[in-house]
Amino acid sequence: MQFDDDADLDTSEVSDQRGSRIPGGRATIGGGLVGVIALVLGLLLGVGPDELGLSGGSPQPASTPSSAAQVQQTCRKGHDANTREDCRLVAVTNSTQDYWRQEFQRRGARYVPASTVFFTDRVNTACGPATSAVGPFYCPGDRKVYLDLGFFQELRTKFGARGGPFAQAYVVAHEYGHHVQNLTGTLGKSQDGRTGANSSSVKVELQADCYAGVWAHNATRTPDESTGRPLITSLTDQDIRDGLDAAAAVGDDRIQEKFQGRVTPESWTHGSAQQRQQWFYEGYRTGDMARCDTFR
C-alpha cells in the first residue's frame, strides 16, 4: 500500500486526542470480564458505547489537551503516510472520504464529511464515554470515527490477524461504511436490539464490510481534490489478502471461539469470518455500492 509522496494530507479530517486527559481519570467501562464482554460486543459494531449499554455513570467532562504530538504538525505529505502509522490513517481517512464524496455526487446526493478521532485509553463522545476496550467505533450522534491506535496491535496479538497497513485501512474504511449508512438511513436498522446470524445488526455490519471493499476497489483511481491524482498509488494482492484476513479475525465465530470457547450464532452481531470476507470481497470485486445489499 503506497501513497503519493507529494500529495498534501488534509489533517482537518482528523482530531488527535492521544494523550489527552479526562478529568478524574475514571474508566467508564470496567476491566476484566466486563472489558472482555465490551470488546466482544463492541468491536467494529459501529455504534457508540452508550447505545450498546456499556457505558457507566454520567458523562465525563471534556478531555483536557496534553502536550502529545499532534498529526496536524507531523502529517503533511503522502511521504509521511508512507513512513508513519498515524499519518497513514490520516491518508486513508482522506482517501475514503474523497471516494464517498465523489460517489455521492455521482448519484446526485451530498456527502457530509465525518472526522476520525485518535484517542488513548478513553474518550467522550455524543454516544457516551468509552474506553479502548470497545474497539474502533462510529458514533452517529456526532458523526465521528473513534480509534485508539493500540487496537491494531491487539488485532494481531489478541485476534490473530496478520496485520499490516491495509488491515488498518480496512478497519477505517469499515467505520466510514457506517457513516455512509448513517447518511443513507440504513444504520438505524441495526438499532432494534436483536442479535443472531440473520439479524439486522449482522446485515448492517456486513454491508459496512462491503462498502470497505468498494472503496478499496476504487482507491487507486479516485483523484484527490487538491492534486487531481489518486492519493493511494498502489494496492497489491497481498494488501487485499491482509484485509480479508483482518475481516475474518473479527468474525463473530472466531471471537466467540477464542473468548467463550464455543460458537453461539444466536448472539451474533457482526457475522461469521466467512461472511465478513465474502462481503468485503464482493465490494472489492465489483466496486459498486449497489452490490452491497445485504438485506435482500
Side-chain angles (χ1 to χ4, degrees):
M1 184 179 188
Q2 288 291 315
F3 299 89
D4 179 355
D5 279 337
D6 297 324
D8 293 323
L9 301 185
D10 183 1
T11 57
S12 70
E13 293 186 342
V14 174
S15 172
D16 192 348
Q17 298 181 21
R18 290 173 296 173
S20 295
R21 177 173 55 85
I22 293 181
R26 181 170 65 88
T28 58
I29 299 176
L33 179 60
V34 175
V36 170
I37 292 173
L39 182 62
V40 172
L41 294 180
L43 183 67
L44 301 180
L45 187 56
V47 295
D50 189 56
E51 291 164 316
L52 285 171
L54 294 171
S55 60
S58 58
Q60 294 292 318
S63 301
T64 301
S66 73
S67 58
Q70 302 292 295
V71 294
Q72 285 77 10
Q73 300 169 4
T74 56
C75 302
R76 299 184 179 277
K77 291 286 187 178
H79 170 75
D80 301 318
N82 284 322
T83 56
R84 289 178 58 101
E85 178 185 64
D86 51 359
C87 299
R88 179 166 62 243
L89 296 173
V90 172
V92 170
T93 296
N94 292 169
S95 173
T96 305
Q97 299 212 95
D98 281 343
Y99 170 70
W100 288 115
R101 187 180 294 110
Q102 294 168 36
E103 178 64 13
F104 270 55
Q105 183 177 16
R106 188 179 72 83
R107 293 173 176 270
R110 187 174 74 91
Y111 178 79
V112 180
S115 62
T116 295
V117 178
F118 296 162
F119 71 97
T120 305
D121 297 332
R122 57 183 64 87
V123 69
N124 291 317
T125 82
C127 298
T131 72
S132 54
V134 300
F137 64 94
Y138 170 72
C139 174
D142 54 25
R143 292 178 173 173
K144 294 179 180 179
V145 171
Y146 289 88
L147 296 172
D148 184 331
L149 273 59
F151 166 78
F152 296 117
Q153 181 177 354
E154 293 185 344
L155 188 61
R156 298 190 302 272
T157 59
K158 288 187 177 181
F159 296 94
R162 288 193 300 262
F166 191 79
Q168 299 175 359
Y170 154 74
V171 172
V172 175
H174 173 100
E175 298 304 340
Y176 273 92
H178 286 311
H179 179 56
V180 170
Q181 292 172 322
N182 192 30
L183 296 179
T184 59
T186 306
L187 187 58
K189 294 182 180 180
S190 69
Q191 307 300 304
D192 59 10
R194 298 178 183 177
T195 61
N198 207 29
S199 65
S200 295
S201 176
V202 166
K203 293 174 181 178
V204 163
E205 292 301 323
L206 295 178
Q207 186 177 67
D209 282 333
C210 187
Y211 285 166
V214 169
W215 161 76
H217 175 97
N218 293 284
T220 58
R221 66 193 77 184
T222 299
D224 179 73
E225 291 189 344
S226 65
T227 66
R229 303 188 304 269
L231 178 55
I232 296 178
T233 58
S234 69
L235 286 178
T236 67
D237 290 343
Q238 183 59 54
D239 289 324
I240 301 305
R241 285 194 290 270
D242 286 346
L244 288 166
D245 178 70
V250 291
D252 280 322
D253 51 345
R254 294 271 187 95
I255 293 175
Q256 288 180 339
E257 181 67 35
K258 188 173 186 65
F259 289 97
Q260 299 176 172
R262 67 187 188 282
V263 176
T264 54
E266 64 273 12
S267 64
W268 284 5
T269 56
H270 295 70
S272 69
Q274 186 273 332
Q275 287 175 310
R276 301 200 72 168
Q277 287 186 319
Q278 172 192 336
W279 280 104
F280 172 80
Y281 191 74
E282 177 69 10
Y284 176 69
R285 182 182 67 83
T286 66
D288 182 2
M289 69 181 296
R291 300 294 293 270
C292 296
D293 184 7
T294 56
F295 292 87
R296 65 176 185 266

